[in-house]
């Protein structure tokens, strides 16, 4: 655990386009977190007692609230995270609306108690079923890059499932965090059920220490490790949605016009600061030259500027330190032989966090640019000699969030998708599965564990209870007490009857086996 920092009672929200303070918010003292959790537990008890249908009805109200305030939400996301308004509308508002609609409409069907038929004749007199129960209080620790869609994508299924939520937004986007809480309270959720706590990493640590019943963490690999350790110490289950280094494989039969537009959008949307950014492109050699030219030409057309300008396509990065990291990775790659085809420069003339959309070719896996998450406006290209080399390269990474494959042959795309080490693979599109509510999102390797979104994401927020009913309780249970030599023989016959290879042998054991069944227990 990091040394406790001095507590500062005010948090500043900064516009990354200008570096100016746009809002000031009250920070939450870490000492208050246990009390906040107690309040959440109290609210959760009443909330879980409501029917699933009643909870879904309130999520419909939340959807209506988000819809009514969509312009204001987009404006705040744009100002605090720097992305263009169109991206705020699509990636934050639309995704949140669809998440609310999906769970509010479908949760009752997704969570029907499930009958579990027994295959073993010895337990046919019992019937089993799976039931779902809320965890209690879910701790959500969120990043800054999609400051509304990411937390809402986790909080909505959490409350649908009957949980309370304590959310710690990123210290870089506290103003959006405050708005998220406001949306729930305006929609009429019970007081204390959804609470935001404002602060930096130490407050995230305090949240875990206070003992929520599950933690959903989204952020970097380095913080994810710390969160996993803190949770493990208290045996708190966690979902970790961590960084990505998504590969794009462009095969020679791909539609290069479409694939190059996808590469440019996938690398530069949100200024490259998406977990699902296209970070590495492997392109088959015969089309590599044409593909790089198309990418460079399209990158040159992009308008760099503040999100408030309606024509802006690439906004600022979040903070100057993030720009430093991108610059360092590019400098090292160029020193090792990579070639910048366009971009590669800071733009202090526009603002403190602007960096030109950059296309770089001839990268290789010895470079930090190909090993570490870049999280900036960089499109990195490497030629390969075959589809197999492309897959091998794509898998040569500790990350495993998502990937894409570009080919006109969808069967080939599916075949290669099966070979790529990632939680999701898109054929002929990039990243957009994040907006498909039915699609599970979750990484492998250092990209994390568990899922958000979809039915799998909902099940992460529920404990599964198996309920078994014995319909013939007076039927003798030979495995109960009364052990002796005779039962030992009969038990072995019973095993043979069930599992011996060949029917003849099994039937021969049947009589002895029945002795075990009918003998019953002595006490
Ligand atoms: P970050 O790891 O710096 O911070 C994430 C959150 O963790 C913040 O709220 C932060 O205050 C909190 N935190 C920091 N230290 C903590 C600690 N010791 N204990 C508990 N909480 C702590 O990440 P970021 O810069 O906000 O986000 C960018 C990263 O998130 C990138 O790596 C990106 O790929 C990743 N990300 C992943 C996904 C995904 O779904 N897989 C989505 C978005 C972003």
């Amino acid at each position: 655990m990091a040394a406790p920092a001095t507590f500062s009672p005010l948090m500043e929200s900064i516009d990354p386009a200008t570096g100016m303070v746009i809002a000031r918010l009250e920070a939450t003292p870490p000492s208050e977190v246990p009390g906040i959790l107690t309040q959440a537990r109290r609210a959760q008890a009443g909330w879980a007692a409501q029917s699933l249908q009643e909870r879904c009805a309130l999520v419909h109200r939340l959807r209506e609230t988000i819809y009514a305030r969509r312009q204001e939400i987009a404006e705040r996301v744009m100002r605090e995270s720097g992305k263009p308004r169109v991206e705020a509308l699509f990636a934050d508002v639309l995704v949140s609306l669809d998440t609310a609609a999906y769970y509010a409409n479908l949760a009752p069907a997704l969570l029907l108690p499930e009958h579990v038929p027994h295959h073993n004749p010895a337990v046919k007199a019992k019937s089993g079923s799976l039931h779902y129960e809320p965890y209690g209080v879910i701790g959500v620790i969120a990043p800054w890059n999609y400051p509304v869609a990411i937390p809402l994508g986790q909080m909505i299924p959490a409350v649908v499932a009957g949980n309370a939520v304590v959310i710690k937004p990123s210290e870089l986007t506290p103003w959006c965090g405050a708005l998220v809480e406001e949306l729930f309270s305006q929609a009429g959720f019970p007081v204390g059920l959804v609470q935001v706590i404002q602060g930096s990493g130490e407050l995230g640590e305090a949240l875990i220490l206070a003992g929520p019943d599950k933690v959903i963490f989204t952020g970097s690999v380095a913080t994810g490790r710390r969160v996993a350790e803190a949770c493990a110490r208290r045996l708190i289950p966690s979902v970790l949605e961590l960084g990505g280094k998504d590969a794009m494989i462009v095969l020679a039969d791909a539609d290069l016009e479409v694939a190059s537009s996808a590469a440019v959008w996938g690398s530069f949307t949100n200024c490259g600061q998406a977990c699902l950014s296209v970070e590495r492109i492997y392109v088959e050699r015969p089309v590599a030259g044409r593909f790089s030219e198309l990418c460079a030409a399209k990158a040159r057309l992009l308008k760099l500027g503040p999100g408030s300008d309606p024509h802006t396509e690439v906004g600022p990065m979040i903070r100057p330190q993030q720009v430093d990291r991108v610059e360092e990775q590019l400098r090292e790659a160029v020193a090792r032989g990579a070639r910048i085809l366009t971009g590669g420069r800071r733009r202090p003339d526009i603002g403190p966090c602007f960096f030109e959309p950059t296309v770089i070719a001839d990268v290789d896996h010895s470079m930090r640019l190909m090993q570490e998450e870049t999280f900036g406006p960089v499109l990195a290209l490497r030629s390969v000699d075959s589809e197999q080399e492309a897959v091998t390269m794509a898998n040569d990474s500790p990350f495993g969030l998502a990937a894409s494959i570009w080919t006109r042959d969808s069967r080939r795309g599916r075949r290669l998708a099966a070979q790529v080490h990632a939680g999701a693979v898109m054929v002929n599109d990039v990243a957009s599965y994040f907006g498909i509510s039915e699609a599970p999102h979750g990484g492998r390797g250092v990209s994390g564990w568990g899922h958000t979104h979809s039915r799998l994401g909902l099940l992460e927020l529920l404990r599964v209870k198996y309920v078994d009913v014995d319909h013939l309780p007076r039927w003798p249970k030979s495995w109960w007490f009364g052990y002796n030599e005779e039962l030992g023989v009969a038990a072995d016959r019973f095993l043979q009857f069930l599992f011996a290879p060949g029917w003849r042998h099994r039937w021969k054991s049947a009589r002895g086996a029945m002795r075990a069944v009918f003998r019953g227990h002595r006490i």
Side-chain angles (χ1 to χ4, degrees), residues 287-371:
V287 296
R290 172 87 189 114
F291 186 73
S292 328
E293 277 166 24
L294 281 168
C295 289
K298 290 179 182 184
R300 279 186 208 107
L301 293 177
L302 294 174
K303 170 133 175 44
L304 182 66
S308 53
D309 176 343
H311 299 286
T312 287
E313 285 158 316
V314 180
M317 298 192 67
I318 189 77
R319 291 289 182 270
Q321 300 87 305
Q322 199 74 21
V323 188
D324 296 343
R325 210 173 76 177
V326 171
E327 250 183 347
E328 271 167 38
Q329 286 193 6
L330 285 172
R331 205 175 303 126
E332 192 235 26
V334 169
R336 287 173 177 267
R339 281 180 306 126
I340 291 184
L341 305 185
T342 184
R345 286 180 310 152
R346 263 184 131 104
R347 293 294 301 272
D349 53 314
I350 311 178
C353 301
F354 286 91
F355 196 84
E356 290 175 343
T358 301
V359 177
I360 183 165
D362 300 339
V363 293
D364 68 47
H365 281 207
S366 72
M367 301 168 181
R368 280 177 55 205
L369 186 71
M370 292 299 263
Q371 292 168 359

Side-chain angles (χ1 to χ4, degrees), residues 141-146 150 168-172 199-205 208 217-224 226-227 240-244 274-276 322 373 375 401 434 441 447 452:
I141 302 178
W144 52 266
N145 59 340
Y146 292 92
I150 288 180
K168 195 206 83 61
S170 166
E171 59 274 35
L172 304 187
S200 51
E202 301 82 58
L203 194 68
E205 288 178 15
I208 299 170
F217 171 79
T218 310
S220 62
V221 176
T223 313
R226 283 200 288 277
V227 166
L240 301 180
E241 295 284 14
L242 309 181
C275 56
L276 295 173
Q322 199 74 21
E373 189 181 36
F375 222 56
L401 194 54
F434 195 78
H441 176 63
S447 292
T452 53

Side-chain angles (χ1 to χ4, degrees), residues 20-341:
M20 307 289 283
V21 175
I22 46 177
R24 286 194 172 82
L25 295 105
E26 240 178 74
T28 310
S31 58
E32 285 185 7
V33 177
I36 289 169
L37 245 82
T38 306
Q39 214 186 327
R41 286 202 190 290
R42 235 177 269 132
Q44 191 267 336
W47 179 243
Q50 294 195 24
S51 71
L52 180 55
Q53 282 69 15
E54 285 170 314
R55 298 199 296 263
C56 288
L58 217 48
V59 171
H60 274 303
R61 287 246 291 281
L62 175 68
R63 177 182 50 72
E64 287 159 13
T65 309
I66 297 170
Y67 180 76
R69 296 180 68 176
R70 63 192 182 280
Q71 286 297 344
E72 181 198 347
I73 298 170
E75 171 78 14
R76 200 177 289 192
V77 168
M78 179 198 81
R79 292 204 61 200
E80 200 177 37
S81 76
K83 69 185 67 161
R85 183 187 299 273
V86 172
E87 288 184 5
L89 280 168
F90 275 133
D92 277 280
V93 181
L94 188 148
V95 170
S96 302
L97 285 169
D98 198 62
T99 303
Y102 169 71
Y103 286 116
N105 288 326
L106 291 171
L110 297 176
L111 296 182
L112 284 175
E114 194 179 313
H115 174 59
V116 181
H118 302 323
H119 77 282
N120 183 339
V123 285
K124 280 285 185 199
K126 301 166 184 300
S127 66
S129 50
L130 300 182
H131 301 257
Y132 304 104
E133 296 174 358
Y135 266 95
V137 179
I138 305 291
V140 171
I141 302 178
W144 52 266
N145 59 340
Y146 292 92
V148 169
I150 288 180
L152 281 183
Q154 302 163 354
M155 295 163 78
I156 290 171
V159 294
V160 162
N163 298 291
V165 176
V166 176
I167 176 199
K168 195 206 83 61
S170 166
E171 59 274 35
L172 304 187
T173 49
W175 203 27
C176 287
L179 180 58
V180 164
E181 186 189 44
E182 219 179 286
L183 293 170
F184 279 92
S185 94
Q186 187 184 336
F189 280 79
V191 174
L193 191 77
V194 172
Q195 298 175 78
V196 68
I197 55 174
Q198 298 279 16
S200 51
E202 301 82 58
L203 194 68
E205 288 178 15
L207 173 56
I208 299 170
L209 269 177
D213 298 289
K214 187 156 187 173
V215 168
I216 313 292
F217 171 79
T218 310
S220 62
V221 176
T223 313
R225 278 187 213 283
R226 283 200 288 277
V227 166
E229 280 168 15
C231 287
R233 243 173 272 129
R234 302 183 64 84
L235 292 179
I236 297 173
S238 61
V239 170
L240 301 180
E241 295 284 14
L242 309 181
K245 192 75 195 164
D246 291 7
M248 173 174 184
I249 294 176
V250 182
L251 300 172
D253 71 342
D255 181 331
L256 296 188
E257 268 301 335
V258 179
S260 55
S261 292
V264 167
W265 182 80
S267 302
F268 302 133
T269 185
N270 209 23
C271 200
Q273 303 167 114
C275 56
L276 295 173
S277 286
V278 171
E279 292 242 340
R280 305 174 285 149
I281 304 184
Y282 304 103
V283 50
E284 278 195 300
R285 209 170 292 282
V287 296
R290 172 87 189 114
F291 186 73
S292 328
E293 277 166 24
L294 281 168
C295 289
K298 290 179 182 184
R300 279 186 208 107
L301 293 177
L302 294 174
K303 170 133 175 44
L304 182 66
S308 53
D309 176 343
H311 299 286
T312 287
E313 285 158 316
V314 180
M317 298 192 67
I318 189 77
R319 291 289 182 270
Q321 300 87 305
Q322 199 74 21
V323 188
D324 296 343
R325 210 173 76 177
V326 171
E327 250 183 347
E328 271 167 38
Q329 286 193 6
L330 285 172
R331 205 175 303 126
E332 192 235 26
V334 169
R336 287 173 177 267
R339 281 180 306 126
I340 291 184
L341 305 185

Side-chain angles (χ1 to χ4, degrees), residues 405-423:
I405 295 168
W406 291 78
T407 169
R408 283 193 167 89
D409 178 349
S410 55
R411 274 174 63 192
R412 189 182 182 202
R414 276 203 206 92
R415 174 170 57 75
L416 294 179
Q419 297 173 25
V420 172
H421 172 77

